Short mmCIF file of all heavy atoms in Angstrom, two decimals:
data_model
loop_
_atom_site.label_atom_id
_atom_site.label_comp_id
_atom_site.label_asym_id
_atom_site.label_seq_id
_atom_site.Cartn_x
_atom_site.Cartn_y
_atom_site.Cartn_z
N PHE A 1183 8.81 20.49 12.03
CA PHE A 1183 9.14 19.14 12.49
C PHE A 1183 9.48 19.14 13.97
O PHE A 1183 9.95 20.14 14.52
CB PHE A 1183 10.35 18.58 11.72
CG PHE A 1183 10.07 18.31 10.28
CD1 PHE A 1183 10.30 19.29 9.31
CD2 PHE A 1183 9.58 17.08 9.86
CE1 PHE A 1183 10.06 19.04 7.97
CE2 PHE A 1183 9.33 16.82 8.53
CZ PHE A 1183 9.57 17.80 7.59
N ARG A 1184 9.28 18.00 14.62
CA ARG A 1184 9.81 17.77 15.97
C ARG A 1184 11.18 17.12 15.78
O ARG A 1184 11.38 16.35 14.84
CB ARG A 1184 8.91 16.84 16.78
CG ARG A 1184 7.57 17.46 17.11
CD ARG A 1184 6.70 16.56 17.99
NE ARG A 1184 6.66 15.19 17.51
CZ ARG A 1184 6.77 14.11 18.30
NH1 ARG A 1184 6.90 14.22 19.59
NH2 ARG A 1184 6.73 12.89 17.78
N VAL A 1185 12.11 17.42 16.68
CA VAL A 1185 13.49 16.97 16.51
C VAL A 1185 14.03 16.48 17.84
O VAL A 1185 13.72 17.04 18.89
CB VAL A 1185 14.39 18.11 15.97
CG1 VAL A 1185 15.82 17.66 15.79
CG2 VAL A 1185 13.83 18.67 14.67
N SER A 1186 14.85 15.43 17.79
CA SER A 1186 15.50 14.91 18.98
C SER A 1186 16.97 14.65 18.68
O SER A 1186 17.31 14.19 17.59
CB SER A 1186 14.82 13.61 19.42
OG SER A 1186 15.44 13.12 20.56
N SER A 1187 17.81 14.93 19.66
CA SER A 1187 19.25 14.76 19.51
C SER A 1187 19.81 13.94 20.67
O SER A 1187 19.44 14.17 21.83
CB SER A 1187 19.93 16.13 19.51
OG SER A 1187 21.32 15.99 19.66
N PRO A 1188 20.74 13.03 20.39
CA PRO A 1188 21.38 12.30 21.48
C PRO A 1188 22.33 13.17 22.30
O PRO A 1188 22.81 12.75 23.34
CB PRO A 1188 22.16 11.19 20.76
CG PRO A 1188 22.43 11.74 19.41
CD PRO A 1188 21.24 12.60 19.08
N MET A 1189 22.57 14.40 21.87
CA MET A 1189 23.44 15.31 22.62
C MET A 1189 22.69 16.03 23.74
O MET A 1189 23.30 16.69 24.56
CB MET A 1189 24.07 16.35 21.68
CG MET A 1189 25.14 15.79 20.77
SD MET A 1189 26.61 15.24 21.66
CE MET A 1189 27.27 16.80 22.26
N ARG A 1190 21.35 15.89 23.79
CA ARG A 1190 20.61 16.61 24.82
C ARG A 1190 21.02 16.10 26.21
O ARG A 1190 21.37 14.93 26.38
CB ARG A 1190 19.11 16.49 24.59
CG ARG A 1190 18.52 15.11 24.82
CD ARG A 1190 17.05 15.09 24.44
NE ARG A 1190 16.40 13.85 24.74
CZ ARG A 1190 16.41 12.77 23.98
NH1 ARG A 1190 17.07 12.77 22.84
NH2 ARG A 1190 15.78 11.68 24.35
N ASN A 1191 20.98 16.98 27.16
CA ASN A 1191 21.31 16.68 28.55
C ASN A 1191 22.75 16.18 28.73
O ASN A 1191 23.02 15.42 29.64
CB ASN A 1191 20.34 15.65 29.15
CG ASN A 1191 18.93 16.16 29.15
OD1 ASN A 1191 18.70 17.35 29.34
ND2 ASN A 1191 17.98 15.28 28.94
N LYS A 1192 23.64 16.63 27.86
CA LYS A 1192 25.04 16.23 28.00
C LYS A 1192 25.93 17.47 28.11
O LYS A 1192 26.99 17.54 27.51
CB LYS A 1192 25.47 15.34 26.82
CG LYS A 1192 24.78 13.98 26.86
CD LYS A 1192 25.28 13.07 25.77
CE LYS A 1192 24.54 11.74 25.89
NZ LYS A 1192 24.77 10.89 24.74
N GLY A 1193 25.47 18.42 28.90
CA GLY A 1193 26.21 19.65 29.09
C GLY A 1193 27.60 19.45 29.63
O GLY A 1193 28.51 20.23 29.37
N MET A 1194 27.80 18.37 30.39
CA MET A 1194 29.12 18.11 30.96
C MET A 1194 30.14 17.76 29.88
O MET A 1194 31.32 17.71 30.14
CB MET A 1194 29.05 17.00 32.02
CG MET A 1194 28.82 15.59 31.48
SD MET A 1194 27.14 15.27 30.82
CE MET A 1194 26.11 15.57 32.21
N LEU A 1195 29.68 17.52 28.65
CA LEU A 1195 30.58 17.21 27.56
C LEU A 1195 31.00 18.46 26.78
O LEU A 1195 31.67 18.37 25.78
CB LEU A 1195 29.91 16.23 26.59
CG LEU A 1195 29.51 14.88 27.16
CD1 LEU A 1195 28.80 14.05 26.09
CD2 LEU A 1195 30.71 14.14 27.70
N SER A 1196 30.63 19.63 27.25
CA SER A 1196 30.84 20.85 26.47
C SER A 1196 32.11 21.61 26.85
O SER A 1196 32.21 22.78 26.60
CB SER A 1196 29.63 21.76 26.61
OG SER A 1196 29.51 22.16 27.96
N LYS A 1197 33.08 20.94 27.39
CA LYS A 1197 34.31 21.62 27.80
C LYS A 1197 35.33 21.71 26.67
O LYS A 1197 36.46 22.09 26.90
CB LYS A 1197 34.91 20.91 29.00
CG LYS A 1197 34.03 20.98 30.24
CD LYS A 1197 34.69 20.28 31.41
CE LYS A 1197 33.91 20.40 32.67
NZ LYS A 1197 32.59 19.85 32.65
N GLY A 1198 34.96 21.33 25.46
CA GLY A 1198 35.85 21.46 24.32
C GLY A 1198 36.70 20.24 24.05
O GLY A 1198 37.30 20.14 22.99
N GLU A 1199 36.78 19.32 24.99
CA GLU A 1199 37.61 18.14 24.75
C GLU A 1199 36.89 17.14 23.86
O GLU A 1199 35.67 17.17 23.74
CB GLU A 1199 38.02 17.47 26.06
CG GLU A 1199 36.89 16.72 26.72
CD GLU A 1199 36.55 17.21 28.11
OE1 GLU A 1199 36.91 18.33 28.45
OE2 GLU A 1199 35.92 16.43 28.83
N ARG A 1200 37.66 16.28 23.25
CA ARG A 1200 37.07 15.23 22.42
C ARG A 1200 36.34 14.24 23.31
O ARG A 1200 36.75 13.96 24.42
CB ARG A 1200 38.14 14.53 21.61
CG ARG A 1200 38.76 15.45 20.61
CD ARG A 1200 39.66 14.72 19.63
NE ARG A 1200 40.17 15.67 18.67
CZ ARG A 1200 39.51 16.12 17.62
NH1 ARG A 1200 38.31 15.65 17.37
NH2 ARG A 1200 40.01 16.99 16.80
N MET A 1201 35.25 13.72 22.80
CA MET A 1201 34.45 12.76 23.55
C MET A 1201 34.98 11.36 23.30
O MET A 1201 34.90 10.87 22.18
CB MET A 1201 32.98 12.86 23.15
CG MET A 1201 32.38 14.19 23.58
SD MET A 1201 30.66 14.30 23.15
CE MET A 1201 30.80 14.91 21.49
N GLY A 1202 35.55 10.77 24.32
CA GLY A 1202 36.06 9.42 24.19
C GLY A 1202 34.95 8.40 24.28
O GLY A 1202 33.77 8.75 24.42
N MET A 1203 35.33 7.14 24.20
CA MET A 1203 34.32 6.09 24.26
C MET A 1203 33.88 5.81 25.69
O MET A 1203 32.82 5.26 25.91
CB MET A 1203 34.85 4.82 23.62
CG MET A 1203 35.06 5.02 22.13
SD MET A 1203 34.92 3.53 21.16
CE MET A 1203 36.43 2.72 21.45
N LYS A 1204 34.68 6.20 26.66
CA LYS A 1204 34.33 5.92 28.05
C LYS A 1204 33.95 7.22 28.75
O LYS A 1204 34.76 8.12 28.89
CB LYS A 1204 35.52 5.26 28.76
CG LYS A 1204 35.87 3.92 28.16
CD LYS A 1204 36.96 3.25 28.92
CE LYS A 1204 37.25 1.91 28.27
NZ LYS A 1204 38.27 1.19 28.99
N TYR A 1205 32.73 7.28 29.19
CA TYR A 1205 32.23 8.50 29.82
C TYR A 1205 32.42 8.50 31.33
O TYR A 1205 31.99 9.42 32.00
CB TYR A 1205 30.74 8.67 29.51
CG TYR A 1205 30.40 9.06 28.09
CD1 TYR A 1205 29.09 9.20 27.71
CD2 TYR A 1205 31.38 9.30 27.15
CE1 TYR A 1205 28.75 9.56 26.41
CE2 TYR A 1205 31.06 9.65 25.85
CZ TYR A 1205 29.74 9.79 25.50
OH TYR A 1205 29.41 10.14 24.22
N GLU A 1206 33.07 7.48 31.89
CA GLU A 1206 33.23 7.41 33.35
C GLU A 1206 33.95 8.64 33.91
O GLU A 1206 33.74 9.02 35.05
CB GLU A 1206 34.02 6.16 33.76
CG GLU A 1206 33.30 4.87 33.51
CD GLU A 1206 33.55 4.32 32.10
OE1 GLU A 1206 34.54 4.70 31.45
OE2 GLU A 1206 32.72 3.53 31.65
N LYS A 1207 34.77 9.26 33.09
CA LYS A 1207 35.53 10.42 33.58
C LYS A 1207 34.62 11.59 33.96
O LYS A 1207 35.05 12.51 34.62
CB LYS A 1207 36.57 10.86 32.56
CG LYS A 1207 36.01 11.44 31.29
CD LYS A 1207 37.15 11.79 30.34
CE LYS A 1207 36.62 12.33 29.04
NZ LYS A 1207 37.69 12.67 28.13
N TYR A 1208 33.36 11.55 33.56
CA TYR A 1208 32.42 12.62 33.91
C TYR A 1208 31.73 12.35 35.24
O TYR A 1208 30.82 13.06 35.62
CB TYR A 1208 31.41 12.82 32.79
CG TYR A 1208 32.08 13.18 31.48
CD1 TYR A 1208 32.20 12.25 30.47
CD2 TYR A 1208 32.64 14.44 31.30
CE1 TYR A 1208 32.85 12.58 29.29
CE2 TYR A 1208 33.29 14.76 30.13
CZ TYR A 1208 33.39 13.83 29.13
OH TYR A 1208 34.04 14.14 27.98
N GLY A 1209 32.13 11.29 35.91
CA GLY A 1209 31.53 10.97 37.20
C GLY A 1209 30.34 10.06 37.06
O GLY A 1209 30.05 9.53 35.99
N ASP A 1210 29.63 9.91 38.14
CA ASP A 1210 28.49 9.00 38.16
C ASP A 1210 27.24 9.74 37.68
O ASP A 1210 26.35 10.04 38.46
CB ASP A 1210 28.31 8.43 39.56
CG ASP A 1210 27.32 7.28 39.58
OD1 ASP A 1210 27.12 6.66 38.52
OD2 ASP A 1210 26.76 7.02 40.65
N VAL A 1211 27.19 10.03 36.39
CA VAL A 1211 26.07 10.73 35.79
C VAL A 1211 25.13 9.67 35.20
O VAL A 1211 25.51 8.98 34.25
CB VAL A 1211 26.55 11.71 34.69
CG1 VAL A 1211 25.38 12.44 34.06
CG2 VAL A 1211 27.56 12.69 35.26
N PRO A 1212 23.94 9.51 35.76
CA PRO A 1212 23.06 8.42 35.31
C PRO A 1212 22.82 8.38 33.81
O PRO A 1212 22.81 7.32 33.20
CB PRO A 1212 21.76 8.66 36.07
CG PRO A 1212 22.17 9.42 37.29
CD PRO A 1212 23.34 10.27 36.85
N GLU A 1213 22.63 9.54 33.19
CA GLU A 1213 22.32 9.52 31.75
C GLU A 1213 23.52 9.19 30.87
O GLU A 1213 23.38 9.03 29.66
CB GLU A 1213 21.67 10.84 31.29
CG GLU A 1213 22.53 12.06 31.45
CD GLU A 1213 22.32 12.78 32.77
OE1 GLU A 1213 21.85 12.18 33.74
OE2 GLU A 1213 22.64 13.97 32.83
N LEU A 1214 24.72 9.06 31.47
CA LEU A 1214 25.90 8.68 30.70
C LEU A 1214 26.32 7.23 30.95
O LEU A 1214 27.37 6.81 30.50
CB LEU A 1214 27.06 9.62 31.00
CG LEU A 1214 26.87 11.05 30.49
CD1 LEU A 1214 28.10 11.89 30.80
CD2 LEU A 1214 26.56 11.08 29.01
N ARG A 1215 25.50 6.48 31.65
CA ARG A 1215 25.77 5.06 31.81
C ARG A 1215 25.43 4.36 30.50
O ARG A 1215 24.50 4.74 29.79
CB ARG A 1215 24.96 4.47 32.95
CG ARG A 1215 25.41 4.99 34.30
CD ARG A 1215 24.68 4.28 35.42
NE ARG A 1215 25.05 4.90 36.67
CZ ARG A 1215 24.19 5.27 37.59
NH1 ARG A 1215 22.90 5.08 37.42
NH2 ARG A 1215 24.61 5.83 38.70
#
Side-chain angles (χ1 to χ4, degrees):
F1183 292 92
R1184 293 183 313 137
V1185 180
S1186 180
S1187 167
M1189 288 294 292
R1190 70 185 185 276
N1191 298 326
K1192 291 185 180 169
M1194 72 289 301
L1195 299 177
S1196 63
K1197 295 181 176 60
E1199 74 239 19
R1200 294 189 177 280
M1201 292 182 274
M1203 293 208 283
K1204 297 184 179 182
Y1205 288 179
E1206 293 88 20
K1207 68 182 178 180
Y1208 301 105
D1210 191 23
V1211 180
E1213 62 268 23
L1214 292 182
R1215 292 186 186 131

